[in-house]
Structures are given as C-alpha cells and as structure tokens.
Amino acid sequence: MFDGVWRSQAGAELRLLQMGEAVSGTYTAANPGFAQTHRSRILVGTAEGDIIGFVTSTSSPQEITAWTGRLVRADEKTAEEIHAVFHAVEGCSQPKAMNNHIALETTIFAKVENACS
C-alpha cells in the first residue's frame, strides 16, 4: 500500500518499501542546508491499514525525527497522498533546554511512482 516514491511540493522525497506491516526506505530532505550534502537517510517503521509511522535521522547531529501519517485519496483521478506530521527532537545536554530543540510540522507527500517502476 505504501510502496513507492512519494514527493512533497518542497521536493522532499520518501522511497518506501512495505512488507506486511514493516516499512523501510529512505528520506531525502528538500533543503539539506548549505553545509550539508543532499543525501538520503534510512527510515524504518510500521504501517497498519492507511496509517504509517517511521523514524529517521536528520542532517543535524544528534537529531531524530518521528513521522506519523495517513494515506489519503480524494478520488480515483488524483494521486494517493500521505498526509504526515513530523516531530523532531534534538539531543541536548540540559533537560530544561529541550523546549528549544523540538519541531512539529506537517507535510503532504504525493505518490509519483510505484516501487516496481
């Protein structure tokens, strides 16, 4: 169900492979930053029905991003989409500083090709 290549309007890309409830693949950020290379990050997760969840590292040191989303299809003429929200937490030395190291955003990924394409 989630197999394939998915892309956001900003250019971020998910390459997903699903086997049963297990999901693996790569995530490539749209803008990796001036000092970062444009490289993919490994992701692992799970899917059940039209719900998906996975984790990946980011280009920032000591940062992990958790994604949760739902598969959406408006009608038979439109591409499938994953409406996802991510929660990024960066490691920090002081617990009280955690509030400054959390991000929460939403992204829509549209399917651009199937895994066997």
Side-chain angles (χ1 to χ4, degrees):
M1 178 184 279
F2 287 97
D3 280 348
V5 178
W6 305 78
R7 198 167 293 129
S8 73
Q9 282 190 322
E13 185 175 276
L14 296 173
R15 290 184 175 268
L16 300 176
L17 178 61
Q18 182 178 353
M19 296 187 72
E21 291 183 354
V23 176
S24 63
T26 59
Y27 169 76
T28 305
N31 298 314
F34 180 74
Q36 302 295 325
T37 60
H38 192 74
R39 71 181 228 221
S40 298
R41 304 286 175 172
I42 293 172
L43 67 83
V44 293
T46 188
E48 186 175 337
D50 62 351
I51 303 295
I52 188 170
F54 57 89
V55 295
T56 186
S57 64
T58 67
S59 58
S60 299
Q62 300 179 3
E63 186 173 294
I64 296 293
T65 303
W67 294 80
T68 54
R70 179 180 297 274
L71 186 66
V72 175
R73 187 171 199 158
D75 58 49
E76 292 184 16
K77 295 179 183 179
T78 60
E80 292 176 303
E81 295 178 337
I82 299 173
H83 292 212
V85 62
F86 78 85
H87 178 168
V89 178
E90 183 178 352
C92 60
S93 59
Q94 298 177 13
K96 290 183 179 181
M98 271 307 274
N99 292 338
N100 297 329
H101 299 278
I102 297 175
L104 185 63
E105 295 183 26
T106 59
T107 304
I108 296 175
F109 293 91
K111 192 167 197 175
V112 294
E113 64 185 72
N114 289 321
C116 15
S117 297

